[in-house]
Amino acid sequence: MKQGQCSGNPLPFPKCANGTLLPLTLRGTSVTMPGRENFYHSTLGTENSLMAGRIAMPPMSEENRAVLPLGFVRGLLDTIEKTLIVAERSGDLLVVNTLARQFLESQGYATIQGLNLFKDLLQADSRQIFGEIEKGEHQVELQIQRGEAKSRVRVQWMPEPDWLVVEIDNKSEAQPDPATQLTVQELLQEREITYRNLLAAYLKLQEVNRQKTVFLASAAHELKTPLAVIKGYYDLLLAGSLGRLTDKQRDILEESKDSCERLVRLVSMFLNYSALESGKLVLQLRENDLRDCLDELSKRWSEAFQRKGVRLDASFDPSIPPFRFDYQKVQQAAANLLDNALKHTPSGGSVTLRAAPHFWERRVAALAPVEERRRFRLPRPNSVEVSVTDSGPGIAAEHHQEIFEDFVRVDRNTSGMGLGLAIAKRLIQAHRGKVWVESESRSGSRFTFLLPMDQG
């Protein structure tokens, strides 16, 4: 005999070998079932062949019923993974399985003794439920609520023992608190308002930044021509073309010329920055000799280094081949590095400008095919390394990245706008190169940039 479940009924029954479900009747603390000898297969004729294989069951008497312990029935109900309660027509609870007991405890019922199905659990009129059943409803669905938790209930009627089998879907659905729901809506509205305000502020800052760039470009253009004229007159005066100068006059003119050249560099820096910010920077890539470019730069800056008492050494590897690059832009990037070294190197110090061929392994890995890399066992130079080394106070490691950002000055005691290194970085990156610094506090700095020799 096996445990079974009646179609449409969640209550389990003992099952015979042929699949027959045996009805149970509750009597006190035990359950009775019909004796096996009272079950027989139908032997009707062919005219009733449709009934073949069915079980015919005569009326049962008290004598032909087998007695099952009530604990056994409870055990059968506990094996079902559903919340089940069996009650009489009056609403008195007969059997409550473990899941149902846990559900009732979670709802605040300390004990199930004396609980009534209709008054305490369903909180519904029994006549309404039986009225639905008498209309032919197979099961009646209700919704019960205790506190903020809601659960769905299915009630089925078993005619013979006149029992009600209740299945509870204990997946409670908590009703959202209106106050909480309102709070969520307010938060969403505040977030939307905050987002719009931030977007408006961002667009406003973008417009202010654009106006700043336009102003710098306009001011630089307006200053460029007068400064060039002033510098030209200084050159004429110092050359003696307009008359002989005394030593004191020459010293005054040289200091004035230095200030004028500093303004010229600042204007040039503003023009480059404006072009970079607006995206209008155009590289004039031509076949040039980098040694000539850097040698011209070192000679131009030698006088400024001599006046401060800083030695400038230049060393360029003669094996650097000509390659395509923007002569003025690369010279400007190197000039910004020299200017930065001169500012931070004390009198009596030294600055070294070097250039040599370099094998940029990362660039080869990104561009050259594997077969080509295997063909040449010895790496061939594919870029030029340019470095500016000074004997200044050095730069702490935490500032190595931020010094290449716009308007950043680590040493507030020096002059400048904090744009030289930022412009140098952008000009080198425009050539598909890279720039970095190697430095420690009180040990000098070494600024290096790489220029690829395969510019398109």
Side-chain angles (χ1 to χ4, degrees), residues 5-142:
Q5 185 170 338
C6 181
S7 175
N9 242 321
L11 185 63
F13 298 89
K15 182 186 291 184
C16 293
N18 64 354
T20 305
L21 300 175
L22 306 185
L24 306 178
T25 304
L26 188 67
R27 289 175 59 85
T29 60
S30 63
V31 176
T32 62
M33 60 173 288
R36 185 173 298 180
E37 65 276 3
N38 289 327
F39 286 88
Y40 59 92
H41 290 276
S42 176
T43 56
L44 299 177
T46 56
E47 67 272 15
N48 294 325
S49 59
L50 292 176
M51 296 298 293
R54 299 287 296 276
I55 299 299
M57 184 174 63
M60 292 178 290
S61 63
E62 296 297 332
E63 292 77 10
N64 59 16
R65 290 176 182 268
V67 178
L68 292 177
L70 185 58
F72 177 74
V73 178
R74 287 198 184 99
L76 292 177
L77 291 179
D78 288 339
T79 60
I80 302 176
E81 295 183 357
K82 292 184 178 180
T83 305
L84 297 177
I85 298 175
V86 181
E88 293 180 336
R89 173 182 284 267
S90 62
D92 294 334
L93 305 185
L94 297 175
V95 181
V96 180
N97 71 350
T98 303
L99 292 179
R101 192 180 300 273
Q102 294 174 355
F103 171 75
L104 293 177
E105 291 177 355
S106 67
Q107 296 298 310
Y109 297 103
T111 177
I112 62 174
Q113 298 294 334
L115 289 180
N116 186 273
L117 176 66
F118 303 108
K119 295 180 181 179
D120 300 320
L121 301 183
L122 302 183
Q123 298 178 355
D125 190 356
S126 61
R127 291 175 295 180
Q128 179 183 358
I129 295 177
F130 282 105
E132 294 290 333
I133 294 175
E134 290 174 359
K135 291 179 183 179
E137 293 291 337
H138 176 65
Q139 66 180 12
V140 179
E141 292 191 1
L142 301 173

Side-chain angles (χ1 to χ4, degrees), residues 366-426:
L367 299 179
V370 178
E371 293 79 6
E372 184 176 345
R373 296 204 304 271
R374 290 176 178 174
R375 190 183 308 167
F376 301 99
R377 295 184 180 275
L378 295 177
R380 296 181 302 173
N382 57 1
S383 61
V384 178
E385 180 184 87
V386 180
S387 63
V388 176
T389 307
D390 63 63
S391 59
I395 304 171
E398 60 267 21
H399 301 305
H400 285 187
Q401 296 296 328
E402 67 178 20
I403 59 174
F404 291 101
E405 297 177 4
D406 299 343
F407 301 104
V408 172
R409 293 170 55 199
V410 177
D411 187 1
R412 296 292 178 179
N413 297 323
T414 59
S415 60
M417 297 292 294
L419 286 174
L421 296 178
I423 292 175
K425 179 181 178 180
R426 295 192 186 187

